[in-house]
Amino acid sequence: VQRQLSATMAVEADYVYSQGRDEKDVIDNVNLTYNPATGANYPAADRARRVDPRWGNASMSVHTGESAYHALQTAFTKRYSDRWQASATYTLSSLKNADASPFTGLVPVSFPTQPDLGGEWGWSPDDQRHRFVFNGIWQVGYGFQVSGLHYLGAGIRLPTNYGGDLRGFGGGSGRLRPNGTIVPKNELIAPMQNRTDVRVQQRIPLPGDLSVDGIAEVFNVFNRTNYTLGTQESQPANYLR
């Protein structure tokens, strides 16, 4: 939907849906067999229960992942006139996915398995609910120009695990806790991001058709602190600048 407000201003709104099927994923170890009674793998250290006892870990690329993205994207645009222009966008979205279900050898496991082993539908890493961006340019006069960008984003979802290989998968960090519960899929949300960038430019005319531009840029001009998070539950929450 688009609406022209004046000769230089307009608003629009779009609904976006993206469906992913047969997406590529990598299974870390397919040289495992699974217990139908528990839906869990037999430990990789149990050589007799491996698909092929002669091999250790064997990874495999598969195309069995899926995802779904929904978004309402809105925008306001003011084209350049009267020595200034500006635009603002706001996106409300959700992103869910399911990674590959487990394989035993070259064959998918034929019975339900524990959700942390693959195939669980839920929030995807990088899901971000809100995102707002504003930018503008002001031609002050006498060759002097000011422009800036402001970004405000809700925290994105991060992949989560407990730490350690409690299922005996053969390496990596899983979501199984020592008490038998499972860390929820991608439950951790990073802190929001908030920053403002500013640029000033001065054009100085020289003899003839020549000119020179002096430019100064400041990123995160208000010095707002933006964090990301560690995602291993067995470690103390670790905030990193």
Side-chain angles (χ1 to χ4, degrees):
V1 178
Q2 297 176 319
R3 175 69 176 177
Q4 189 80 24
L5 301 178
S6 69
T8 59
M9 289 188 289
V11 293
E12 64 178 280
D14 299 279
Y15 169 70
V16 178
Y17 172 61
S18 175
Q19 175 179 285
R21 294 295 182 266
D22 302 326
E23 296 178 331
K24 182 180 178 181
D25 197 4
V26 176
I27 299 178
D28 293 331
N29 190 6
V30 297
N31 194 23
L32 296 170
T33 56
Y34 291 77
N35 184 346
T38 63
N41 59 285
Y42 292 107
D46 187 349
R47 183 182 294 270
R49 292 188 180 273
R50 296 177 187 171
V51 176
D52 190 331
R54 299 169 300 174
W55 289 79
N57 289 9
S59 64
M60 183 172 72
S61 295
V62 298
H63 290 79
T64 58
E66 56 185 271
S67 64
Y69 174 77
H70 298 264
L72 172 64
Q73 300 177 348
T74 62
F76 167 80
T77 303
K78 195 274 183 184
R79 296 191 295 273
Y80 185 80
S81 65
D82 300 324
R83 299 193 303 179
W84 69 281
Q85 70 179 48
S87 68
T89 62
Y90 169 71
T91 301
L92 173 66
S93 65
S94 71
L95 175 61
K96 291 187 174 183
N97 79 334
D99 51 8
S101 297
F103 274 61
T104 178
L106 302 179
V107 181
V109 178
S110 60
F111 47 83
T113 57
Q114 294 294 325
D116 58 307
L117 296 177
E120 181 184 10
W121 180 260
W123 296 112
S124 172
D126 299 328
D127 169 70
Q128 184 181 47
R129 191 55 46 86
H130 306 281
R131 184 177 187 272
F132 172 78
V133 179
F134 171 83
N135 67 79
I137 299 174
W138 179 28
Q139 193 73 36
V140 181
Y142 302 101
F144 184 64
Q145 182 187 93
V146 179
S147 58
L149 178 145
H150 181 72
Y151 171 82
L152 180 64
I156 63 172
R157 288 188 177 268
L158 302 172
T160 49
N161 61 76
Y162 177 78
D165 183 19
L166 299 184
R167 288 210 184 275
F169 208 74
S173 296
R175 290 163 49 201
L176 180 67
R177 298 183 177 113
N179 63 5
T181 61
I182 296 172
V183 175
K185 179 180 178 180
N186 306 323
E187 70 165 349
L188 188 63
I189 299 178
M192 65 182 295
Q193 302 290 302
N194 189 1
R195 69 175 187 271
T196 304
D197 304 331
V198 174
R199 165 176 160 161
V200 294
Q201 177 176 330
Q202 177 66 58
R203 173 160 295 181
I204 303 172
L206 299 176
D209 295 328
L210 301 177
S211 64
V212 61
D213 287 349
I215 298 174
E217 294 179 311
V218 181
F219 299 97
N220 196 13
V221 64
F222 300 113
N223 199 32
R224 291 188 174 95
T225 303
N226 292 289
Y227 293 101
T228 187
L229 294 176
T231 59
Q232 189 165 299
E233 191 179 273
S234 59
Q235 297 291 331
N238 189 17
Y239 288 81
L240 303 174
R241 289 193 64 175

